[in-house]
Amino acid sequence: MLMDKIEDKYIPEEGYECLGYMQYESGFYWIDEEHDDKIWVTPEMIKRYSLDLKNLFTKEEHLEEKLWDWGEGEDYDSEVNRLCEFSHYIYIQFCTHVTMSKEDRDNPEECTEETIHGNIYSGEFLAWLNDCPLELLRESDLTAQ
């Protein structure tokens, strides 16, 4: 079942890209800088979910990074084999909490996990935050942390 998207205008930080939070009309969504994930997708999944290639990262980018980190060897070869059917991935961010103002970031009394897009640990919220089809999240082994 497809959920209707709720209008919630993104308000970019002026002058630079902020990685610690994303501001929307509904509040400040604080990004969990200690947790992230990747959803690997095949060319068939890209077509089935009408994914925009501009929003995806290539397997080659990932493997280049691993080659740089690990060097050649058993770990790298295992990663190449594990990803053989995939062509791209979606980078997934998680959210620690939401506040109505930027100044309330560390004020527990003003923090919430409930949003107009669902609880920050729900699939619906993760799909919204990462601009990813909910059905694709359900198809992956991704779990909110």
Side-chain angles (χ1 to χ4, degrees):
M1 178 176 136
L2 291 174
M3 276 184 54
D4 292 331
K5 281 196 171 187
I6 297 172
E7 280 296 316
D8 194 8
K9 184 179 175 193
Y10 176 66
I11 305 169
E13 181 77 14
E14 284 197 37
Y16 65 96
E17 184 178 349
C18 177
L19 301 177
Y21 65 87
M22 293 171 22
Q23 182 182 1
Y24 285 83
E25 288 177 329
S26 63
F28 289 80
Y29 293 78
W30 298 94
I31 301 303
D32 185 343
E33 297 175 13
E34 295 182 20
H35 298 98
D36 59 10
D37 211 335
K38 295 175 181 174
I39 296 178
W40 288 97
V41 293
T42 64
E44 294 79 21
M45 293 166 81
I46 292 170
K47 185 175 181 180
R48 181 179 336 136
Y49 294 109
S50 302
L51 300 176
D52 187 344
L53 289 175
K54 293 184 298 188
N55 298 330
L56 303 177
F57 297 88
T58 67
K59 173 174 65 175
E60 287 74 25
E61 290 173 290
H62 171 79
L63 291 175
E64 282 178 23
E65 182 181 309
K66 293 304 177 190
L67 186 59
W68 177 260
D69 289 345
W70 299 339
E72 292 183 17
E74 188 176 318
D75 289 338
Y76 178 76
D77 292 343
S78 176
E79 188 74 351
V80 169
N81 289 332
R82 181 179 77 85
L83 300 175
C84 67
E85 70 182 287
F86 301 106
S87 62
H88 293 81
Y89 69 89
I90 301 170
Y91 176 71
I92 298 294
Q93 294 182 309
F94 297 94
C95 183
T96 59
H97 62 285
V98 178
T99 60
M100 291 309 297
S101 74
K102 187 176 177 182
E103 294 71 31
D104 285 332
R105 175 184 186 168
D106 297 321
N107 183 352
E109 294 175 4
E110 299 298 326
C111 298
T112 185
E113 294 177 354
E114 298 301 326
T115 77
I116 64 173
H117 306 287
N119 184 288
I120 64 171
Y121 299 109
S122 71
E124 291 80 8
F125 178 82
L126 285 177
W128 170 78
L129 182 68
N130 293 284
D131 194 25
C132 174
L134 180 58
E135 295 79 14
L136 179 58
L137 282 180
R138 289 180 176 149
E139 192 172 320
S140 77
D141 60 1
L142 180 72
T143 56
Q145 306 191 4

